[in-house]
């Protein structure tokens, strides 16, 4: 090797050492690339060049000298090393007057390329030049690789920090959600947490209550939004819907500026929706953003659902207490013992349902010869029905001993009930005054199921009277009917819990079945008749929930 070559080799070695020292002194990618490019430009006496790196699967320019930005507007789409050697890419380089390029490769992968323009002296790049360029890129590859790894680590750390912050937020939110007793407050906290993270100005929180939609919070026009949501079967939304899908499949919602729909789910069932407009940064929602919003929504819907269940439990408890009170009232109103009469055998009973009905019966001794029988059914359930029954009993026991005509007395009872009844409540009522010695009966039926008078194989329905009690004051007088009862006559008084008892097929016991059964029992005693009818009704309705009281009174003439 002559002195000139030795000097050149020394200079090249010194340049390589200096380049290695400089680019390895920093992990800043821009610093590394600029020093690499300047070193090459200085070494090969050229005024233009660029470095492109593989970013997200595509080769993209990262540093340049002497090349205008617009010349990269049509940079080819290069996805692999084979395309770097393609005629298309070489033609593009030629259009930039690039005469030499080399791949920047680490021991793991190809990181990119460095490309250089023509020399100032217009000479071509020699083999030694290209070999030296390759040596330079090999030295720079490690520094570039380290910088890229550091950038990736920083990005990963930022993501982890963000996730940790969001997990902390979710933990705090889970505690806060449990403190609220109203769904609107839960929705408000949900909205505040989302606004704080994403600077969203337009939003809505919607819950599903059965088949109905309820807007808990909204910055969109509520009526218009509800109408738009009803167009789509939003309860079937199980995955988050992003801007592109909204623009394609939910155009009526896209008009509001909605860019994200996130379902709030509980055990795989969608219980509500979070609707969000664009972010304050104008960037799209990432998968991590959607995951966070979904998590917040899941916490919120659990709290909302727990509140709903708690309210239902309270209401159920209150109803059970209400029914227990009503049961006690009802039991205390019914006679504890039926009076005995020389010419009549009277039996009465009530089988109470789980839901307290308003059935009432009574047998009242008026004097040594006369007694009153009554049966009634108050509309509704619970305490209100029991209180109406108490009013009826009080009015009946007071009026029936005043010596008034039974039709006039019924009109007075109706007027009193009407004055003390709220709209929509009423009572069906039948009562009769019976003379023990003469066996005569005078009755009035105020809209109740007509009792059955069974005589010699025939049925006479006792239906003379007037309107049910409590609907309006008496405008048309009630009519009454007087009957002469005969030995072995049977009178069956009942409420609709008997005739309307339902079996598993949805069929009612019916008046016809009761009449046929009653005809077959006339030879039996009043107690036997009552027991058989009750047993038949119970057997018919076996396996179904008894929804109404079953009240029965049987009178047999001796």
């Amino acid at each position: 090797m002559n002195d000139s070559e030795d000097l050149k080799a020394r200079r090249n070695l010194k340049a390589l050492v200096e380049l290695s020292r400089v680019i390895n002194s920093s992990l800043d990618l821009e610093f590394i690339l600029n020093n690499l490019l300047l070193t090459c430009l200085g070494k090969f006496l050229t005024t233009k060049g660029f470095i492109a790196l593989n970013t997200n699967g595509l080769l993209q320019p990262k540093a340049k000298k002497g090349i205008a930005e617009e010349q990269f507007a049509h940079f080819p789409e290069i996805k692999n090393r084979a395309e770097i050697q393609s005629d298309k890419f070489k033609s593009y380089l030629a259009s930039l007057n690039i005469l030499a390029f080399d791949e920047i490769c680490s021991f793991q992968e190809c990181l990119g390329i460095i490309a250089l323009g023509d020399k100032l002296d217009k000479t071509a790049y020699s083999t030694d030049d290209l070999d030296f360029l390759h040596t330079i890129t090999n030295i720079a590859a490690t520094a570039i690789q380290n910088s890229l790894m550091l950038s990736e680590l920083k990005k990963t750390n930022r993501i982890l920090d963000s996730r940790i912050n969001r997990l902390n937020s979710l933990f705090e939110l889970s505690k806060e959600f449990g403190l609220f007793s109203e769904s609107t407050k839960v929705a408000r906290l949900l909205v505040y947490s989302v606004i704080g993270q994403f600077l969203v100005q337009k939003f809505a929180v919607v819950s599903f209550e059965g088949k109905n939609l309820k807007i808990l919070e909204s910055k969109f026009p509520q009526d218009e939004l509800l109408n738009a949501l009803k167009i789509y079967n939003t309860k079937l939304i199980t995955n988050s819907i992003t801007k592109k899908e909204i623009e394609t499949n939910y155009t009526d919602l896209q008009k509001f500026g909605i860019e994200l729909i996130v379902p709030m789910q509980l055990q795989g069932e969608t219980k509500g929706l979070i609707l969000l407009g664009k972010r304050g940064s104008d960037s799209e929602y990432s998968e991590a953003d959607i995951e966070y919003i979904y998590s917040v929504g899941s916490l919120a819907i659990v709290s909302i659902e727990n509140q709903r269940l708690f309210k239902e439990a309270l209401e159920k408890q209150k109803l059970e207490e209400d029914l227990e009170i009503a049961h006690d009232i009802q039991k205390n109103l019914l006679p504890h013992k039926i009076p005995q009469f020389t010419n009549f055998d009277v039996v009465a009973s009530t089988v109470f349902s789980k839901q307290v009905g308003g059935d009432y019966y009574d047998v009242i001794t008026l004097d040594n010869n006369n007694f009153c029988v009554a049966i009634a059914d108050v509309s509704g359930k619970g305490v209100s029905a029991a209180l109406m029954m108490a009013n009826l009993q009080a009015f009946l026991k007071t009026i029936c001993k005043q010596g008034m005509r039974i039709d006039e007395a019924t009109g007075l009872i109706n007027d009193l009930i009407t004055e003390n009844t709220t709209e929509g409540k009423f009572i069906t009522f039948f009562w009769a005054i019976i003379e023990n010695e003469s066996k005569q009966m005078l009755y009035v039926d105020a809209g109740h199921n007509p009792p059955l008078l069974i005589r010699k194989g025939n049925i006479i329905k006792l239906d003379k009277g007037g309107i049910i009690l409590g609907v309006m004051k008496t405008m048309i007088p009630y009519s009454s009917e007087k009957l002469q009862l005969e030995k072995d006559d049977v009178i069956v008084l009942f409420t609709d819990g008997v005739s309307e008892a339902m079996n598993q097929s949805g069929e009612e016991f019916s008046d016809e079945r009761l009449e046929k059964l009653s005809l077959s029992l006339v030879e039996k005693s009043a107690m036997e008749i009552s027991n058989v009818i009750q047993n038949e009704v119970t057997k018919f309705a076996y396996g179904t929930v008894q929804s109404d009281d079953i009240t029965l009174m049987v009178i047999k003439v001796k």
Side-chain angles (χ1 to χ4, degrees):
M1 179 184 293
N2 57 37
D3 291 342
S4 175
E5 290 175 339
D6 183 58
L7 180 61
K8 181 179 179 181
R10 285 173 179 273
R11 286 176 177 173
N12 285 346
L13 181 59
K14 184 178 180 181
L16 291 174
V17 171
E18 182 63 19
L19 173 65
S20 178
R21 184 189 68 78
V22 171
I23 63 177
N24 283 296
S25 68
S26 174
L27 289 171
D28 181 72
L29 184 61
E30 184 179 356
F31 176 83
I32 294 169
L33 296 181
N34 283 332
N35 275 279
L36 172 60
L37 188 56
L38 288 171
T39 299
C40 291
L41 293 178
K43 171 62 184 173
F44 299 111
L45 300 176
T46 179
T47 59
K48 67 167 63 176
F50 72 88
I51 298 173
L53 298 181
N54 186 6
T55 306
N56 298 325
L58 288 177
L59 198 65
Q60 296 179 12
K62 295 295 182 181
K64 61 178 174 48
K65 297 292 181 183
I67 302 173
E69 185 66 40
E70 56 267 19
Q71 289 181 284
F72 288 118
H74 302 290
F75 192 86
E77 193 176 275
I78 304 298
K79 297 180 180 178
N80 51 55
R81 296 181 71 178
E83 291 180 351
I84 292 175
Q85 302 297 333
S86 67
D87 292 339
K88 179 182 178 183
F89 188 56
K90 289 179 179 179
S91 175
Y92 172 76
L93 295 178
S95 71
L96 299 179
N97 202 20
I98 298 296
L99 301 183
F101 77 90
D102 190 38
E103 295 180 4
I104 305 171
C105 295
S106 70
F107 65 92
Q108 294 177 325
E109 59 182 327
C110 179
L111 302 175
I113 65 166
I114 183 170
L116 302 173
D118 56 341
K119 295 182 179 181
L120 291 174
D121 60 6
K122 303 302 180 182
T123 60
Y125 286 88
S126 66
T127 302
D128 288 344
D129 290 339
L130 295 177
D131 287 344
F132 187 70
L133 177 61
H134 187 65
T135 302
I136 290 175
T137 58
N138 283 341
I139 291 172
T142 301
I144 294 172
Q145 178 78 54
N146 289 339
S147 177
L148 290 173
M149 288 179 64
L150 179 64
S151 297
E152 191 63 30
L153 283 172
K154 286 181 177 179
K155 180 181 177 183
T156 302
N157 283 335
R158 285 195 299 271
I159 292 172
L160 286 174
D161 287 342
S162 175
R163 286 181 176 270
I164 290 171
N165 288 333
R166 287 180 175 181
L167 282 172
N168 288 333
S169 296
L170 290 173
F171 179 70
E172 293 301 322
L173 284 170
S174 67
K175 293 190 292 184
E176 293 291 331
F177 281 138
L179 298 176
F180 294 126
S181 60
E182 296 178 12
S183 58
T184 51
K185 291 183 179 179
V186 173
R188 200 165 296 133
L189 178 59
L190 184 158
V191 164
Y192 289 158
S193 64
V194 172
I195 289 174
Q197 286 282 343
F198 306 107
L199 302 177
V200 181
Q201 292 185 341
K202 288 191 174 183
F203 53 80
V205 180
V206 181
S207 69
F208 299 133
E209 297 185 355
K211 294 182 179 180
N212 299 320
L213 292 169
K214 182 180 179 182
I215 294 181
L216 302 179
E217 282 287 322
S218 179
K219 287 295 182 181
F220 301 109
Q222 292 198 17
D223 293 338
E224 292 87 335
L225 179 61
L226 271 178
N227 292 332
L229 287 169
K230 289 174 182 177
I231 296 172
Y232 309 100
N233 197 347
T234 49
K235 201 167 186 180
L236 296 181
I237 295 175
T238 55
N239 297 310
S240 298
I241 300 173
T242 55
K243 183 178 179 181
K244 288 184 179 179
E245 189 177 348
I246 292 172
E247 290 173 348
T248 304
N249 300 325
Y250 297 87
T251 52
D252 289 277
L253 297 178
Q254 189 265 336
K255 294 174 184 176
F256 292 91
I258 295 171
E259 295 191 359
L260 181 66
I261 302 173
V262 179
M264 295 189 290
Q265 292 187 301
L266 191 63
Q267 296 180 341
E269 183 181 355
T270 300
K271 296 284 189 177
L273 297 173
I274 301 171
L275 312 172
L276 300 177
K278 69 177 182 178
R279 301 178 61 173
S281 61
D282 288 334
S283 58
E284 293 191 1
Y285 295 94
S286 66
E287 289 186 11
D289 296 335
I290 295 171
E291 184 181 339
Y292 172 75
I293 296 166
Y294 180 86
S295 299
V296 175
S298 296
L299 288 174
I301 203 64
V302 167
S303 180
I304 291 171
E305 189 68 9
N306 285 342
Q307 290 162 17
R308 185 186 67 80
L309 293 174
F310 181 67
K311 286 181 180 178
E312 283 185 358
L314 286 179
E315 289 172 1
K316 184 179 179 183
Q317 181 181 354
K318 184 177 180 299
L319 178 61
E320 288 174 351
E321 292 173 354
D322 190 35
L323 294 178
E324 189 64 33
I325 293 170
H327 256 308
D328 292 340
I329 295 173
Q330 188 179 24
K331 286 180 180 179
N332 290 330
L333 291 176
L334 299 179
H336 299 292
K337 185 178 179 181
I338 302 295
Q340 299 297 311
F341 306 100
T342 56
N343 290 323
F344 293 90
D345 188 8
V346 182
V347 174
S349 65
T350 291
V351 178
F352 297 108
S353 66
K354 290 184 179 179
Q355 294 182 343
V356 178
D359 284 12
Y360 165 70
Y361 72 86
D362 213 339
V363 181
I364 304 169
T365 302
L366 302 178
D367 53 40
N368 292 333
N369 187 45
N370 296 285
F371 63 96
C372 167
V373 296
I375 190 168
D377 190 354
V378 180
S379 66
K381 311 287 182 186
V383 172
S384 62
L387 292 176
M388 283 183 68
M389 187 196 304
N391 283 339
L392 174 63
Q393 186 198 53
F395 298 148
L396 178 64
K397 288 199 170 185
T398 300
I399 292 173
C400 70
K401 294 183 179 182
Q402 299 300 315
M404 294 178 64
R405 286 171 43 190
I406 192 170
D407 50 356
E408 292 178 355
T410 307
L412 178 57
I413 292 173
N414 176 54
D415 291 344
L416 292 170
I417 293 292
T418 301
E419 288 176 3
N420 292 275
T421 302
T422 57
E423 187 175 350
K425 299 289 185 180
F426 59 87
I427 302 173
T428 64
F429 177 59
F430 175 94
W431 69 311
I433 295 175
I434 301 174
E435 293 182 16
N436 182 49
E437 294 296 331
S438 66
K439 300 180 182 179
Q440 289 184 341
M441 181 177 76
L442 185 63
Y443 76 87
V444 172
D445 183 12
H448 193 74
N449 303 73
L452 309 178
L453 170 58
I454 304 168
R455 176 182 293 170
K456 299 176 182 178
N458 295 312
I459 291 178
I460 301 170
K461 294 187 178 183
L462 309 182
D463 56 5
K464 296 292 189 295
I467 63 170
I468 55 180
L469 307 180
V471 175
M472 65 176 71
K473 287 201 171 184
T474 306
M475 306 292 290
I476 301 173
Y478 286 85
S479 58
S480 60
E481 183 176 22
K482 193 169 190 177
L483 297 174
Q484 179 62 54
L485 300 178
E486 301 175 5
K487 185 178 182 299
D488 295 329
D489 281 352
V490 173
I491 305 172
V492 179
L493 300 87
F494 60 96
T495 58
D496 56 13
V498 176
S499 58
E500 294 178 6
M502 200 168 287
N503 64 13
Q504 292 178 325
S505 301
E507 299 174 323
E508 291 185 350
F509 190 77
S510 76
D511 291 325
E512 291 77 10
R513 189 177 272 107
L514 176 61
E515 291 169 14
K516 185 177 179 181
L517 178 61
S518 299
L519 280 170
S520 69
L521 300 173
V522 291
E523 301 298 327
K524 299 182 180 297
S525 67
M527 179 63 75
E528 290 173 327
I529 295 171
S530 177
N531 289 341
V532 171
I533 292 175
Q534 283 189 12
N535 290 338
E536 287 298 317
V537 172
T538 302
K539 190 189 303 181
F540 179 83
Y542 179 79
T544 61
V545 177
Q546 182 186 335
S547 60
D548 202 358
D549 296 343
I550 296 174
T551 299
L552 189 67
M553 182 184 292
V554 178
I555 303 172
K556 186 163 187 178
V557 183
K558 296 179 182 179

